[in-house]
């Protein structure tokens, strides 16, 4: 017997439709054009078949957090997709990352900036990047400390092979999306202030995941990184 509260298992097309309507609704609430919100389908731990199915529903941008996994998955996936790195990058994997990815959301140290700029120069590539900010000052999280960025930003034009799009953050996990709002707002306010103070453009914000992307959009997210709400739960690894 089915219990009355048992959920009917949704397929991927239904889940993607639901994510898209939630993006539209959140953009409407914020008075924003929904087309300015870019959806990254976070396919980490999911097989190439899942990527293919999502791509058949019209998704084009996929996010991975591990170079090794992306290296195996990308050649097995449809060829017309764009791949974004969203996880911490070790410098010994940076050369591979430069080859594999079209954008890196998780640049979290000065040394990584330097390494990526050099490798992109050698590869004759320009890489769009985001600077990851440790928005809650958590010891367990990667990212620049907020107080080191205003002094670093004026040096960015020297990294001629990197095109800084803006700031990225992963707020502390909470079961209640409203509790993430203050962190998203803080990232936007820092962005506005640093941009004014340094004259360095930081036009885009990469923030919001399955649990909180609507709040992130209301607070100005240009890129949301959504895994579970598209692909279903991940098995622990
Ligand atoms: C896994 C991951 C996501 C997606 O998380 P979901 O909660 O499954 O949507 C987004 N951003 C980063 C950096 C991630 O590692």
């Amino acid at each position: 017997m089915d219990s009355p509260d048992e959920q009917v298992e949704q397929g991927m097309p239904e889940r993607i439709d639901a994510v898209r309507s939630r993006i539209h609704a959140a953009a409407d609430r914020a008075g924003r054009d929904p087309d300015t919100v870019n959806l990254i389908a976070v396919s980490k731990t999911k097989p190439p078949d899942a990527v293919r199915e999502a791509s058949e529903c019209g998704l084009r941008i996929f996010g991975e957090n591990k170079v090794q996994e992306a290296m195996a998955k990308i050649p097995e996936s449809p060829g017309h997709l764009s791949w974004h790195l969203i996880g911490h990058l070790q410098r010994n994997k940076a050369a591979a990352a430069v080859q594999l990815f079209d954008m890196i959301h998780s640049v979290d140290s000065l040394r990584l900036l330097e390494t990526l700029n050099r490798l992109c120069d050698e590869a004759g590539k320009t890489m769009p990047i985001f600077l990851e900010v440790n928005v809650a000052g958590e010891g367990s999280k990667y990212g620049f400390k907020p107080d080191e960025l205003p002094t670093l930003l004026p040096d960015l034009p020297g990294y001629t092979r990197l095109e800084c799009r803006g700031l990225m953050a992963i707020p502390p996990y909470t079961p209640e999306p409203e509790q993430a709002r203050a962190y998203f707002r803080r990232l936007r306010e820092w962005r506005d202030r640093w941009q004014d103070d340094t004259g360095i453009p930081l036009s885009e914000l990469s923030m919001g995941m399955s649990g909180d992307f609507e709040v992130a959009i209301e607070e100005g997210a240009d890129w949301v990184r959504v895994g579970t709400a598209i692909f279903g739960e991940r098995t622990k690894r």
Side-chain angles (χ1 to χ4, degrees), residues 20-73:
R20 284 180 169 140
S21 15
R22 288 165 62 190
I23 289 174
H24 272 251
D28 281 347
R29 283 196 297 279
R32 301 183 52 198
D33 175 358
D35 291 343
T36 64
V37 181
N38 298 285
L39 173 60
I40 302 174
V42 178
S43 48
K44 64 188 188 195
T45 79
K46 300 294 178 182
D49 280 349
V51 172
R52 188 177 314 276
E53 194 182 351
S55 77
E56 282 162 4
C57 300
L59 297 184
R60 286 290 171 273
I61 306 172
F62 289 80
E64 289 287 331
N65 69 336
K66 292 195 159 70
V67 170
Q68 210 82 4
E69 183 180 340
M71 212 183 288
K73 192 179 301 182

Side-chain angles (χ1 to χ4, degrees), residues 20-220:
R20 284 180 169 140
S21 15
R22 288 165 62 190
I23 289 174
H24 272 251
D28 281 347
R29 283 196 297 279
R32 301 183 52 198
D33 175 358
D35 291 343
T36 64
V37 181
N38 298 285
L39 173 60
I40 302 174
V42 178
S43 48
K44 64 188 188 195
T45 79
K46 300 294 178 182
D49 280 349
V51 172
R52 188 177 314 276
E53 194 182 351
S55 77
E56 282 162 4
C57 300
L59 297 184
R60 286 290 171 273
I61 306 172
F62 289 80
E64 289 287 331
N65 69 336
K66 292 195 159 70
V67 170
Q68 210 82 4
E69 183 180 340
M71 212 183 288
K73 192 179 301 182
I74 293 173
E76 303 293 320
S77 298
H80 58 289
L81 306 177
S82 182
W83 293 88
H84 290 201
L85 180 66
I86 60 169
H88 174 65
L89 177 57
Q90 290 168 281
R91 279 179 307 131
N92 63 4
K93 305 236 169 73
V98 163
Q99 296 303 326
L100 289 166
F101 293 102
D102 299 311
M103 207 182 282
I104 300 181
H105 291 246
S106 44
V107 176
D108 54 13
S109 73
L110 192 54
R111 293 178 77 194
L112 184 57
L113 269 176
E114 284 163 358
T115 303
L116 283 174
N117 190 61
R118 176 176 50 78
L119 292 167
C120 286
D121 196 41
E122 286 167 14
K125 270 184 112 162
T126 300
M127 181 66 78
I129 60 157
F130 284 86
L131 301 175
E132 181 173 351
V133 182
N134 189 343
V135 76
E138 294 171 280
S140 59
K141 288 256 171 80
Y142 292 106
F144 288 96
K145 292 196 191 78
D147 60 5
E148 61 185 330
L149 276 178
T151 50
L152 179 149
L153 290 174
D155 294 334
L156 276 184
Y159 299 95
T160 55
R161 290 294 186 166
L162 305 179
E163 177 197 308
C164 183
R165 293 293 196 88
L167 305 178
M168 178 272 214
I170 310 170
Y173 174 78
T174 64
E176 174 48 59
E178 274 303 323
Q179 289 176 354
R181 186 182 297 277
Y183 295 106
F184 295 140
R185 184 170 298 170
R186 185 183 292 178
L187 191 72
R188 170 166 51 83
E189 290 172 349
W190 281 338
R191 185 274 301 271
D192 293 346
R193 183 177 336 143
W194 297 340
Q195 198 169 237
D196 283 354
D197 289 353
T198 64
I200 300 292
L202 298 167
S203 48
E204 297 168 24
L205 296 172
S206 170
M207 58 187 194
M209 319 193 344
S210 292
D212 54 22
F213 67 86
E214 290 148 295
V215 175
I217 291 167
E218 290 170 13
E219 294 300 329

Side-chain angles (χ1 to χ4, degrees), residues 15 42 210 226-234:
R15 289 195 299 261
V42 178
S210 292
V226 179
T228 311
I230 291 173
F231 293 102
E233 293 293 335
R234 288 181 294 274

